[in-house]
Amino acid sequence: MENSSYSDWVPVTGMSLSISGEGDCCSQTMTLRTGNGIVNFTVEPTTQVIESRQLRPGMRVAAFYDSRLPVPLIFPPRYRAQLITLLGRNEQVVIGTFDENLLAEDRSLQLNVARGTVVKTVNGQNFPCGLANRTLLVYYSATTRSIPPQTTPRKLVVLC
């Protein structure tokens, strides 16, 4: 995964309805029910699943796809999942690069990291270094109404 490509990743959030194997046995199809209808994702061996969690029907997930990649013109849509993560109830997730003040590059979110904020790497290891100028997967549930919106994230995954 290239750092420069994260800005092209688009999240789709929904409830996993089914997960089925494909012909080569190394890939799977995951069907999500979203607020906009059904969306299918191909989960390949290269798809990163945060914390290597086993995906099951009934899980609330966010699946990110690369908007630069070609997509077959079928309905329901079918994307290649680049990254999948489990979400808690009312939880949102975003990928962004954050500056030294933990303000998103696009100025869409300001992070207020608290003592209880979990900070890990993609493979679940503790991340003991600074967060400035890093690409982060941010898990949060509420933001202020200020501009930019501020949040105290529950968890941060550093995309090294």
Side-chain angles (χ1 to χ4, degrees), residues 1-2 6 8 20 39 42 47 75 93 124 130 150-151 155 158:
M1 293 188 304
E2 301 170 20
Y6 291 123
D8 296 310
S20 58
V39 178
T42 300
T47 301
F75 189 82
V93 67
Q150 297 183 35
T151 190
K155 178 178 170 180
V158 182

Side-chain angles (χ1 to χ4, degrees), residues 2-130:
E2 301 170 20
N3 187 13
S4 61
S5 68
Y6 291 123
S7 63
D8 296 310
W9 286 16
V10 177
V12 176
T13 301
M15 186 69 66
S16 172
L17 295 179
S18 66
I19 300 166
S20 58
E22 296 203 357
D24 68 359
C25 296
C26 289
S27 297
Q28 298 175 321
T29 298
M30 180 174 62
T31 301
L32 290 183
R33 183 180 62 234
T34 73
N36 296 322
I38 299 297
V39 178
N40 290 316
F41 280 91
T42 300
V43 181
E44 300 174 335
T46 56
T47 301
Q48 286 206 290
V49 179
I50 299 297
E51 297 177 356
S52 299
R53 295 286 303 270
Q54 177 70 43
L55 300 173
R56 301 183 196 288
M59 291 178 156
R60 186 166 178 269
V61 302
F64 288 81
Y65 69 91
D66 188 336
S67 63
R68 298 173 305 163
L69 296 178
V71 176
L73 295 174
I74 58 173
F75 189 82
R78 182 183 189 105
Y79 303 106
R80 285 176 39 204
Q82 302 296 314
L83 183 143
I84 299 174
T85 188
L86 274 60
L87 297 177
R89 182 176 303 213
N90 299 322
E91 191 167 52
Q92 299 178 62
V93 67
V94 66
I95 290 178
T97 301
F98 292 81
D99 68 12
E100 62 278 353
N101 298 313
L102 298 181
L103 177 62
E105 199 172 58
D106 64 1
R107 307 185 67 74
S108 63
L109 190 63
Q110 171 80 50
L111 303 181
N112 297 316
V113 178
R115 205 174 267 234
T117 301
V118 175
V119 182
K120 300 279 187 177
T121 61
V122 171
N123 64 8
Q125 304 306 303
N126 289 326
F127 186 82
C129 300

